[in-house]
Every structure is written in structure tokens, then in C-alpha cells.
Amino acid sequence: MRLIFLGPPGVGKGTQAQRLSETYKVPKISTGDILREAVHKNTSLGVKAKSFIDAGMLVPDDVVIEIVRERLKEPDCPKGYIMDGFPRTIEQAEALGKMLRETGSVIQQVLNFQLSDEELVRRLSGRRSCPHCQTVYNLAFNPPKQEGVCDQCKSPLVQRSDDEPRTILKRLEVYQRQTRPLISYYEGQKLLTNINAAGSVEDVFKRVISAVQKGKIG
Ligand code: AP5
């Protein structure tokens, strides 16, 4: 299984990628998670990425392409993976295509998650996450059992620095300008399947499973 999850911020890519990764036992490769961990650990990558993330802008292509190149060399990748949040520009997509051709591999399917802007803003504004085990919650749709505390590891939950209202709007604008063109790009390669991301996590997951099975890669 070699999949790409495409879609605007807050559409639920990370939530669905996590579930699919657990179901099919393949890694979820999230460039957002890798960058946030680097920021948290204050590495040189984190220092470079922080100002872009906090401003709702994309981290430069060469930086994220290198992250993915290194990640794909890890031993859990040959059996497959779900790319969550990469590629996000045509340049990243071209670089990924080249990397895979070099190893005789291809992307099998691109799932494009769709949701209204109004609902995206609602989901992002209510998101809280655990900085320790990365479990994601939503105050409105999927709250933790105890307010402000992770159900899994009991760490205090945090709001992502880029989930502040002005940054959310910036991220949506950046998505329209830089990432949306990937829809036609992958449509042209006959890899795209649209997924209606409205409804509960469970409803959306059923659509994801159905798409993967129809694509005959599950
Ligand atoms: P990244 O972490 O990739 O963020 P994103 O794409 O903006 O996506 P999000 O994580 O915000 O949303 P999601 O679709 O995963 O939704 P989630 O499942 O969490 O990137 C962050 C930043 O890093 C970028 O802005 C950029 O600076 C940098 N970056 C990352 N990758 C890069 C790249 N390739 N190139 C350059 N820069 C890069 O769900 C959202 C909320 O909704 C949660 O609270 C969840 O619980 C809830 N929810 C999920 N599904 C449902 C549902 N069905 N019903 C109700 N609530 C739901």
C-alpha cells in the first residue's frame, strides 16, 4: 500500500491516516508531525521550520523533500506507507515521483479529502493534541474524558501554535494557492479518488476503506 492523503488543513487526513495505518500495519508518514517534533526538540531543522509553521506558510520544498527522502530509507517503508501532508506543491510531487522511479516504485492511489471551509475552521479551532503521544482530540467532536488531559498517557493537552484563527485563514489560503493544483496533477495521472470528509470519523473511515478496496490496494 503506497498512498497519498491530500486535502486542506483540518479535513481529517491525520485522523484517517492514523486509523488506516493501524488497520493495514503500514507507517503513516506525516511531514507535519516530523517538523513539529523537530521544533519541540529544538533541532536545526526545527529552528529553520518554526517561523514558517507559526506563520501558516509552507516550509521550503528542498527541506521537506530531504526529510521524505531520508524517511523512505527507513526499514518500515518497503511494505508500504501512507503519506499525510506530503506532497503539498507540484515541485514536491515531481521530486517524490523521481525518488520512487529511482527505486522502481510508484504511488498507487491519492485520496483527496473534501470539506467546506466552514467545517474546516470548526475542526481546527477545536483541535487539541497530546505533545507526548500525539493523540488528537476535538473539543466539539471528540473530547478527552477528562478536560485538558490525554486519555492515553495523561499528559496535559495543547493547542497547536498554528491553530490560532488568523493562522488558520492563512493556511487555507496557502492550500488554495500551492496545494490545490495537485488535484489536477494526480487526476491527470489517473490516481485520484475523492473522499467526502463530512460526517463522523467512523463514516469517513468507511469511505476510505471502500476507496482503498476499490483501488485494489487493500
Ligand atoms: P500539517 O501538520 O500537515 O497540517 P495540515 O495539512 O494543515 O493538516 P492538519 O494536521 O491541520 O489537519 P488534518 O487534515 O490532519 O486534520 P486532523 O486529522 O488533525 O502541517 C502543518 C505545517 O507544517 C504546515 O502549515 C507547514 O508549515 C508545515 N508542513 C507540513 N508538511 C509540509 C510540506 N509537505 N511542505 C511544506 N510545509 C509542510 O483533524 C483536525 C481536527 O478535526 C481534530 O481535532 C480531529 O479530532 C477533528 N476531526 C477529524 N475528523 C473528524 C470528523 N470526521 N468529524 C469531526 N471532527 C473530526
Side-chain angles (χ1 to χ4, degrees), residues 10 13-15 31 36 57 85 88 92 127 137-138 171 199:
K13 303 180 296 295
T15 302
T31 40
R36 273 186 295 279
M57 311 282 289
R88 258 173 143 103
Q92 291 177 20
R127 174 167 52 193
Y137 299 87
N138 193 285
R171 287 161 64 203

Side-chain angles (χ1 to χ4, degrees), residues 5-166:
F5 276 17
L6 190 63
V11 74
K13 303 180 296 295
T15 302
Q16 297 296 330
Q18 184 61 35
R19 291 202 58 171
L20 197 65
S21 146
E22 285 160 11
T23 305
Y24 282 94
K25 313 275 181 262
V26 292
K28 163 183 112 151
I29 300 183
S30 159
T31 40
D33 286 349
I34 295 170
L35 290 166
R36 273 186 295 279
E37 198 188 337
V39 171
H40 183 67
K41 290 185 174 157
N42 209 21
T43 63
S44 61
L45 168 65
V47 171
K48 212 183 286 179
K50 187 175 186 327
S51 58
F52 292 98
I53 295 174
D54 287 351
M57 311 282 289
L58 294 185
V59 172
D61 285 334
D62 57 335
V63 175
V64 276
I65 289 167
E66 210 39 48
I67 290 174
V68 172
R69 190 188 306 283
E70 288 307 310
R71 180 65 184 85
L72 286 176
K73 288 181 190 160
E74 288 185 28
D76 58 347
C77 286
K79 63 181 174 183
Y81 43 77
I82 303 158
M83 294 267 181
D84 165 24
F86 180 92
R88 258 173 143 103
T89 62
I90 297 285
E91 187 171 341
Q92 291 177 20
E94 299 274 353
L96 176 65
K98 187 162 176 275
M99 259 181 248
L100 295 181
R101 275 193 301 279
E102 282 165 9
T103 57
S105 172
V106 285
I107 290 295
Q108 295 166 301
Q109 198 176 17
V110 178
L111 301 192
N112 176 41
F113 292 82
Q114 300 174 310
L115 193 65
S116 69
D117 278 4
E118 200 185 8
E119 191 61 20
L120 293 174
V121 172
R122 281 182 59 196
R123 288 188 184 177
L124 288 171
S125 313
R127 174 167 52 193
R128 297 292 181 275
S129 40
C130 175
H132 185 64
C133 71
Q134 322 308 331
T135 305
V136 176
Y137 299 87
N138 193 285
L139 298 184
F141 306 111
N142 170 32
K145 292 193 183 83
Q146 189 189 340
E147 195 184 324
V149 178
C150 179
D151 294 348
Q152 310 296 331
C153 70
K154 308 294 172 210
S155 301
L157 299 179
V158 295
Q159 183 167 27
R160 264 171 52 173
S161 60
D162 56 348
D163 279 348
E164 176 253 324
R166 256 189 25 206

